[in-house]
């Protein structure tokens, strides 16, 4: 493809994120200083001080040599990138750049190089995405990297997902369970928005390792989100769900009273839900969801 295809794709990712004009301009220009005869002064003269600052920040991140230090110094490097990006938009442009690189990584024929880039992405850019709340980017990066670093395990999990779906008809189950949960809450006078989704192969693999379970023991592959209008109703919804359905011991987590490092808040629980399926439920307010 023509060279411009990459900067255009990065700018499109930033536009999809509803970022401002200067971020999108930076997406188009992010490689110019590093890869062409254009200088930072040229960028400043044509596009202004802010775009020049952002392009300079992205260029500096690109010049850091991560090789061989990712595992040992991942946390330090993440902090360095965040502090180097005096403007958080520097980090957002760099994440969009890496996301497009990963989407097109199959064009790299050298397998060792692919694995090195995937490991760097998994240990550096995916956690960085999570730290600043870019959940969709984090999930996509993790899944692409998982397919490169552990293709056989990922394929096994995907096949297990398919067999669980066939056994239980989970594609049809999701709308049924949404309907049941909504009715259960409404009967108790609580208005909530309920949605459901299948879990990703990578998050499932991490949970399997954490709980030390085999792929044959894998059963809960669907998760539901209950969104209510205030914190008090989060705990009301939890009470209604635990009263109605059998809770799986040791699965409850309260990230409302103790938020994660990146500010994430929700209540998490796993229950034997409607239709006797093991389901994970996350409960949060609209503000927390946003």
């Amino acid at each position: 493809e023509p060279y411009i295809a990459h900067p255009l794709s990065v700018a499109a990712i930033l536009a999809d994120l509803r970022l401002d004009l200067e971020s999108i301009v930076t997406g188009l220009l992010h490689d110019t200083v590093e890869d062409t005869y254009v200088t930072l002064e040229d960028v400043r003269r044509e596009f202004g001080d802010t775009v020049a600052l952002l392009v300079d920040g992205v260029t500096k991140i690109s010049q850091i040599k991560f090789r061989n230090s990712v595992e040992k110094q991942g946390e330090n490097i993440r902090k360095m990138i965040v502090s180097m990006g005096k403007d958080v938009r520097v980090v957002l442009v760099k994440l969009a750049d890496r996301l497009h690189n990963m989407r097109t990584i199959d064009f790299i024929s050298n397998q060792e190089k692919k694995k090195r880039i995937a490991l760097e992405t998994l240990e550096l850019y995916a956690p960085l995405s999570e730290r600043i709340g870019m959940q969709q980017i984090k999930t996509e990066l993790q899944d692409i990297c998982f397919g490169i670093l552990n293709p056989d395990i990922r394929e096994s999990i995907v096949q297990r997902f398919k067999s669980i779906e066939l056994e239980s008809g989970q594609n049809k189950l999701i709308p049924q369970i949404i309907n049941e949960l909504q009715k259960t809450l409404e009967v108790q006078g609580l208005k909530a928005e309920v949605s459901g989704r299948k879990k990703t192969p990578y998050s499932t693999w991490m949970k399997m390792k954490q709980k030390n379970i085999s792929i044959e023991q894998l059963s809960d592959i669907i998760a539901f989100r209950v969104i209510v209008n205030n914190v008090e109703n989060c705990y009301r919804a939890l009470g209604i769900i635990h009263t109605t359905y059998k809770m799986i011991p040791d699965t409850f987590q309260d990230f409302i009273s103790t938020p994660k490092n990146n500010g994430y808040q929700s209540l998490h629980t796993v229950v034997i839900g409607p239709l006797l399926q093991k389901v994970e439920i996350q409960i949060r307010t609209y503000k927390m969801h946003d």
Side-chain angles (χ1 to χ4, degrees), residues 78-268:
R78 284 197 289 277
K79 285 176 183 169
M80 183 166 57
I81 287 178
V82 173
S83 62
M84 188 181 287
K86 292 169 189 166
D87 186 319
V88 72
R89 292 175 293 181
V90 169
V91 180
L92 296 178
V93 174
K94 187 62 200 171
L95 288 174
D97 172 44
R98 179 53 63 116
L99 179 60
H100 185 253
N101 286 339
M102 296 310 293
R103 284 175 177 174
T104 55
I105 198 167
D106 283 341
F107 293 101
I108 295 176
S109 53
N110 183 325
Q111 291 304 308
E112 285 309 306
K113 185 179 180 183
K114 267 172 86 166
K115 285 183 178 178
R116 179 175 58 76
I117 294 169
L119 185 64
E120 178 185 284
T121 303
L122 190 62
E123 298 199 338
L124 182 66
Y125 290 102
L128 182 62
S129 306
E130 182 176 41
R131 179 66 58 86
I132 59 172
M134 309 303 290
Q135 185 71 15
Q136 279 178 297
I137 289 181
K138 180 201 86 164
T139 303
E140 188 174 346
L141 289 177
Q142 285 177 335
D143 200 47
I144 294 169
C145 295
F146 189 33
I148 293 165
L149 296 169
N150 302 95
D152 294 344
I153 297 171
R154 186 185 181 280
E155 184 56 28
S156 299
I157 292 172
V158 168
Q159 291 307 320
R160 177 65 180 153
F161 279 11
K162 284 179 182 170
S163 70
I164 292 171
E165 280 169 15
L166 282 172
E167 287 164 21
S168 61
Q170 279 198 341
N171 281 337
K172 293 173 187 170
L173 269 183
I174 290 177
Q176 284 179 274
I177 293 175
I178 288 172
N179 200 26
E180 284 280 331
L181 285 172
Q182 209 132 24
K183 278 183 187 168
T184 300
L185 295 167
E186 277 173 14
V187 165
Q188 299 294 328
L190 187 60
K191 194 178 177 190
E193 186 182 306
V194 183
S195 60
R197 61 179 173 79
K198 281 188 280 189
K199 294 184 182 179
T200 66
Y202 181 76
S203 68
T204 303
W205 167 234
M206 294 310 286
K207 203 153 269 188
M208 283 167 62
K209 288 208 294 185
Q210 185 190 337
K211 294 182 177 178
N212 196 23
I213 61 170
S214 69
I215 201 153
E216 288 75 26
Q217 294 168 290
L218 191 59
S219 59
D220 57 329
I221 66 164
I222 46 179
F224 293 84
R225 195 168 284 150
V226 174
I227 307 180
V228 293
N229 58 3
N230 60 42
V231 172
E232 185 188 341
N233 282 339
C234 288
Y235 290 98
R236 270 192 70 204
L238 179 75
I240 293 165
I241 288 165
H242 278 184
T243 307
T244 311
Y245 307 110
K246 187 179 176 184
M247 177 204 170
I248 308 289
D250 301 322
T251 60
F252 173 64
Q253 291 173 295
D254 186 341
F255 295 116
I256 292 180
S257 65
T258 313
K260 290 187 182 182
N261 287 338
N262 65 355
Y264 174 89
Q265 289 184 289
S266 281
L267 301 174
H268 288 197

